[in-house]
Amino acid sequence: MKVKELANAANVNPDTVRFYTREGLLQPTRNPDNNYQQYDAEDLRRLRFARKARQLGFSLPEIRQILARADDHHSPCPMVRDVFQQRLMAVEREIAELQQLRARMISALSAWQEMPDGTPDGHTICRLIEHWDDPSAESCCEESES
């Protein structure tokens, strides 16, 4: 198969095939008649595998490791489980951090509805940011505006 044929078979665009080839995940041969890269069923299998692994969050170096273990006839499954479990914990931490950020953003936006705009005066840059979590910010800012 040529690049376009492999891309069609894997339902990706030709640039994806070229990318994975440059990254060493696909190993086409060269057609001696025209010097075109020739892909086979193994390349199609590897390309489909790499795309699925990327959808699950595996990095290219991790995919390379998985394929290398499989190429050496060793099961990559224990490594996949370990990496995936660690990645899932990291994603869950990131989700918790994002939820905390979301709560702070909602809180700030709510506080900002009642806060007046201010002009930088040498003591403040933007009162909204500097006083969003200050319970007395509204009365403080109102007094300085008067």
Side-chain angles (χ1 to χ4, degrees), residues 3-115:
V3 169
K4 188 172 181 174
E5 294 167 333
L6 180 63
N8 288 340
N11 200 25
V12 299
N13 67 47
D15 288 336
T16 302
V17 173
R18 291 182 190 99
F19 173 76
Y20 284 118
T21 301
R22 279 192 310 274
E23 291 297 319
L25 299 181
L26 305 178
Q27 299 166 346
T29 58
R30 289 280 178 187
N31 182 326
D33 296 332
N34 56 21
N35 206 31
Y36 288 163
Q37 292 179 321
Q38 289 293 128
Y39 297 90
D40 59 17
E42 177 62 15
D43 290 308
L44 177 59
R45 188 170 67 88
R46 291 170 73 91
L47 177 57
R48 287 178 173 158
F49 174 83
R51 297 292 294 159
K52 284 185 178 190
R54 292 290 292 153
Q55 289 172 343
L56 287 170
F58 287 93
S59 68
L60 286 174
E62 290 165 343
I63 294 169
R64 259 191 226 99
Q65 282 184 299
I66 294 166
L67 290 171
R69 286 191 63 80
D71 290 345
D72 288 341
H73 305 289
H74 294 98
S75 174
C77 294
M79 181 190 78
V80 166
R81 281 188 201 96
D82 290 343
V83 168
F84 202 70
Q85 190 171 29
Q86 292 171 9
R87 180 73 38 79
L88 180 58
M89 289 187 310
V91 166
E92 287 175 347
R93 278 192 303 273
E94 190 174 331
I95 288 170
E97 290 169 6
L98 287 171
Q99 287 173 333
Q100 291 171 353
L101 174 60
R102 180 180 182 269
R104 285 192 305 273
M105 292 173 79
I106 290 169
S107 172
L109 195 55
S110 175
W112 292 349
Q113 299 302 320
E114 304 300 321
M115 292 174 69

